[in-house]
């Protein structure tokens, strides 16, 4: 009887471990990037070649470090994709929008522990000391000018 119980317990344990490993193997790690949109009062994108902020002019730096920004166009809207894994949590970065306009960007990052892997997540997005909330519908931080 003991052998049967040990066998059943071992099978259940093996089955649950295998299932967990399988689920983790099928899960991609979370991308450490966010989208940023800059819009006017009516929600129109201000980023673009014929708009207020040209992608070639927009830079994110801290000292001599320049953070990679990728610009993605979706119709009339251009989003900035920011890979925040290159940034230090709680540090001020200069967001240069054009030759006349800059802003201070500060991300507070946290490591989130999950069953399959740990990932870095944005806890707080501050622009010039003001917190910007992520738009849950578009998963984008929207800066209104």
């Amino acid at each position: 009887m003991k052998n049967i119980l040990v066998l059943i317990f071992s099978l259940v344990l093996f089955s649950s471990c295998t299932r967990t490993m399988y689920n983790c193997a099928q899960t991609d790690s979370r991308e450490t990037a966010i989208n940023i949109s800059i819009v006017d009062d009516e929600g129109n994108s201000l980023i673009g070649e014929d708009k207020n902020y040209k992608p070639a002019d927009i830079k994110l730096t801290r000292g001599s470090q320049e953070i990679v920004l990728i610009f993605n166009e979706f119709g009339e809207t251009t989003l900035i994709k920011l890979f925040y894994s290159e940034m230090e949590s709680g540090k001020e970065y200069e967001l240069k929008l054009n030759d006349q306009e800059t802003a201070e960007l500060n991300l507070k990052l946290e490591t989130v522990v999950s069953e399959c892997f740990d990932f870095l997540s944005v806890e707080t997005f501050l622009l010039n000391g003001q917190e910007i909330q992520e738009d849950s519908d578009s998963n984008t931080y929207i800066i209104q000018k």
Side-chain angles (χ1 to χ4, degrees), residues 7 17 20-22 34 40 45 47-49 58 60 75 85 94 105 110 114 122 130-131 139-140 144:
L7 179 63
C17 289
T20 300
M21 287 188 289
Y22 175 77
I34 56 172
D40 64 15
S45 179
I47 303 171
E49 291 305 319
I58 299 174
L60 182 62
S85 60
E94 181 180 76
L105 179 65
E110 66 178 334
S114 73
V122 175
Q130 297 294 319
E131 186 172 355
N139 296 321
T140 301
Q144 191 169 14

Side-chain angles (χ1 to χ4, degrees), residues 33-38 60 69 80-84 87 89-93 95 97 103-110 121-135 139-144:
I34 56 172
N35 289 314
I36 301 171
S37 175
I38 303 174
L60 182 62
L69 301 175
I80 302 170
K81 185 172 228 177
L82 165 60
F83 291 93
Y84 58 84
M87 299 176 70
S89 180
K91 301 290 182 181
E92 295 288 329
Y93 287 79
L95 179 62
L97 300 172
E104 294 297 322
L105 179 65
N106 183 326
L107 300 182
K108 293 193 179 165
L109 307 172
E110 66 178 334
S121 178
V122 175
E123 182 180 339
T124 308
F125 182 108
L126 298 171
L127 187 71
N128 294 328
Q130 297 294 319
E131 186 172 355
I132 308 278
Q133 295 295 321
E134 183 178 27
D135 180 63
N139 296 321
T140 301
Y141 290 91
I142 300 172
I143 298 170
Q144 191 169 14

